[in-house]
Every structure is written in C-alpha cells, then in structure tokens.
C-alpha cells in the first residue's frame, strides 16, 4: 500500500543545529572509570548529548505510524502481524547515524506533547520517575492506540555495556 502521509507539511525535517562532533571525547575512559556503577547516576560531558530529550526521542518510535494505519485496515491477520512486526523494528531506523549521541535526561514531571495532524495522532509523554528513570507514553489515533512505559537500567562491566529495557510497549488496533 502507498503511504498516505504527506511529505510537505511545513514541519522541520532536520535539527536546527548540527550536533558537535564528539569523537574526541574519551567515552571509554569515562565508562572505564565507572565500572560496575549505575550509569544513570554518572555525569557525562554535555558534548555527548544531542539537542533533544528522551521524551522527544521516544516519540520518534512513531515515525512510521502509517504502518499501524495500514495494519488496522488490512483484513488478512498474517499480513496485519507483518506490518506490526515491521513497525516494532522501525524505531531503530535512526540507530546507524546517531549512535554517538544520547538524549538529555528529562526531569521528574517533565512532559512532551505532539499533535501530528498530518499523521492523525496525538502523543504525550511524561517522566514519572527519575531514579530509576521511567517515562510513560501514550499516543492515540483513529487507527491505533499506543502506550508504553520506558524503563532503563544500565551498567558497564569493563568489556561490555549492559542496557536492559524492561518497560512493555503496547499497540491496540480498533479492528
């Protein structure tokens, strides 16, 4: 099926400023000095951050929300599951070119809301816990309801970095 999402919406397609090149920052040195610690409590240089916070970045999981729109209109249950599966991995599309940057951590009670008229959904997210970090997210359209709680736990063990995402992601199709 052809995408029904308009491409010329007047919304920005790039960040207002380029991220600073952080390749000179010794991230491995910082991590090595914090072996076994909870990395959410370790101060990192600001140069490692991109000009977004986590709540905005989580909203990017709905970048390909038209896949859920198509899934809701699809009669074949196997094809519907295919679209939902593709949507579930589409959130990693940014990973190849943004892997050196992390979003800023939101403060407790901070919210982010987005009303994407061209895509037909409303999105709201709130930071509901600071330690441990936990964000609650809800998006709704006539074709789907999406909600999740984003919980992260990470530790650096010297030769490996362990990141555990334990929050469930839910999608409900009205059909």
């Amino acid at each position: 099926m052809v995408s029904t999402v308009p491409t010329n919406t007047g919304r920005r397609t790039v960040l207002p400023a380029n991220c600073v090149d952080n390749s000179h920052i010794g991230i491995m040195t910082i991590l090595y000095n914090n072996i076994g610690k909870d990395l959410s409590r370790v101060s990192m240089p600001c140069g490692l951050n991109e000009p977004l916070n986590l709540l905005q970045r989580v909203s990017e999981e709905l970048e390909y929300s038209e896949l859920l729109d198509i899934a809701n209109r699809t009669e074949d249950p196997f094809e519907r599951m295919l679209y939902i599966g593709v949507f579930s991995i589409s959130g990693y599309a940014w990973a190849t070119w943004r892997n050196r940057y992390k979003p800023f951590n939101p403060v407790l009670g901070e919210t982010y809301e987005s009303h994407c008229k061209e895509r037909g959904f409303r999105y709201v997210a709130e930071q509901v816990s600071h330690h441990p970090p936990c964000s609650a997210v809800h998006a709704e359209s006539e074709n789907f309801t999406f909600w999740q709680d984003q919980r992260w736990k990470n530790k650096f063990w010297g030769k490996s970095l362990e990141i555990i995402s334990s929050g469930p992601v839910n999608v409900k199709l009205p059909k």
Side-chain angles (χ1 to χ4, degrees):
M1 296 180 124
V2 180
S3 174
T4 58
V5 176
T7 55
N8 187 11
T9 62
R11 298 179 89 149
R12 70 179 187 198
T13 56
V14 295
L15 293 174
N18 292 331
C19 289
V20 180
D21 179 22
N22 68 0
S23 59
H24 66 282
I25 298 174
I27 184 68
M28 291 308 289
T29 304
I30 295 168
L31 293 175
Y32 182 74
N33 291 335
N34 293 289
I35 291 175
K37 293 182 183 174
D38 180 3
L39 293 181
S40 66
R41 296 184 180 266
V42 175
S43 296
M44 297 286 187
C46 193
L48 293 175
N49 291 88
E50 62 181 331
L52 295 173
N53 76 19
L54 180 70
L55 301 177
Q56 291 171 295
R57 191 168 203 186
V58 172
S59 75
E60 294 175 2
E61 291 186 14
L62 293 168
E63 182 72 24
Y64 299 100
S65 65
E66 68 267 17
L67 293 168
L68 294 176
D69 296 336
I70 295 168
N72 188 53
R73 292 189 301 263
T74 302
E75 296 296 328
D76 180 21
F78 297 108
E79 191 174 341
R80 187 179 311 121
M81 195 59 159
L82 175 73
Y83 281 109
I84 292 172
V86 171
F87 171 78
S88 71
I89 62 170
S90 69
Y92 297 106
W94 56 265
T96 58
W97 58 275
R98 288 164 72 179
N99 60 355
R100 291 189 320 203
Y101 301 99
K102 71 178 245 1
F104 282 99
N105 295 332
V107 296
L108 180 63
E110 183 175 346
T111 61
Y112 175 75
E113 185 174 347
S114 176
H115 186 168
C116 297
K117 293 179 185 176
E118 70 278 2
R119 294 182 187 267
F121 70 84
R122 293 179 65 90
Y123 169 90
V124 64
E126 181 178 356
Q127 188 71 13
V128 293
S129 174
H130 193 65
H131 285 293
C134 181
S135 305
V137 173
H138 183 83
E140 201 168 86
S141 83
E142 65 181 34
N143 291 316
F144 65 87
T145 303
F146 172 92
W147 69 99
Q148 69 175 327
D149 55 275
Q150 193 79 30
R151 291 181 240 158
W152 297 99
K153 183 178 180 180
N154 47 27
K155 290 208 183 231
F156 180 64
W157 298 107
K159 294 184 180 181
S160 65
L161 177 64
E162 180 181 5
I163 300 174
I164 302 167
S165 174
S166 59
V169 178
N170 303 281
V171 174
K172 181 180 178 183
L173 303 177
K175 240 177 156 178

